[in-house]
Every structure is written in structure tokens, then in C-alpha cells.
Amino acid sequence: MAIKKSNKLPQAVVLKQIVKRCSSFGKKQTYNEEGLPDDVPKGHFAVYVGENRTRYIIPISWLAHPQFQILLQRAEEEFGFNHDMGLTIPCDEVAFESLTSMMR
């Protein structure tokens, strides 16, 4: 029985790439020496939610939260992770705000 190699990157690698990419969607910003936007505090990243793609700055620690993991899975299924538009969460803003208020 042969072992099939997956072309998928490990989730930790994908998440690191997302965090680096997903804070400049349609905005003119200044960047620090690490190439990250100055308006995103260390330990946070930007996501885009809803039809209007409202930008939210959230803590990286939320990536480990089970409810946020479900949103990440939905985002991967709907949009994939290999695009330049930043991490887009496929839910409406009210639901996202409700969920994140419970995670604080």
C-alpha cells in the first residue's frame, strides 16, 4: 500500500501566510520593516467579513478557538486560502460580531 503525498501545506504554514497577507485589502497603508501594515498591532491580523467586506482586526489567539476554526474551514471551502484578497470570512457581520463577542 503506497502512501499518497498531499499537496496541501500544513495548516500552521497556511495560517502564517494568511496573517502576513491579509491586512492590506484595498487600503493604502504604511508598512513596518517586516512588511506588515502599521495599523495592525502585533499579535493581531485582519479579516474581511460580510458582503461589504468590512475589515476587522482580531487577535491571532482566536485562530485556536473551535468556533473560529469552523469559520476558517468555511472560508477555505468557499474561497480557498490561495488568493491575494486577504482572509475573507463567509458570514454576515452581525453573526461574526456575535461570535467574536463570546470569544473575548
Side-chain angles (χ1 to χ4, degrees):
M1 179 180 221
I3 297 176
K4 185 176 178 181
K5 270 191 154 182
S6 173
N7 289 338
K8 286 189 169 184
L9 293 171
Q11 187 176 17
V13 173
V14 171
L15 291 175
K16 255 187 189 177
Q17 291 172 347
I18 290 167
V19 168
K20 278 204 146 185
R21 280 198 324 247
C22 68
S23 25
S24 61
F25 180 72
K27 300 193 184 290
K28 301 233 185 259
Q29 302 178 28
T30 58
Y31 295 86
N32 64 21
E33 60 278 351
E34 296 173 358
L36 300 173
D38 286 333
D39 69 334
V40 178
K42 188 172 184 137
H44 292 74
F45 69 103
V47 296
Y48 303 92
V49 179
E51 288 183 26
N52 296 325
R53 300 233 168 136
T54 303
R55 186 172 187 247
Y56 291 87
I57 308 296
I58 62 172
I60 289 174
S61 63
W62 287 5
L63 291 170
H65 193 282
Q67 294 297 335
F68 199 81
Q69 288 285 319
I70 292 169
L71 290 178
L72 288 175
Q73 289 171 352
R74 287 179 53 200
E76 181 182 25
E77 290 168 5
E78 188 162 331
F79 304 113
F81 284 144
N82 192 18
H83 60 87
D84 295 326
M85 295 175 47
L87 180 58
T88 304
I89 304 295
C91 71
D92 64 47
E93 293 175 49
V94 173
F96 183 78
E97 289 174 4
S98 176
L99 172 69
T100 58
S101 70
M102 293 185 297
M103 293 173 26
R104 293 184 180 150

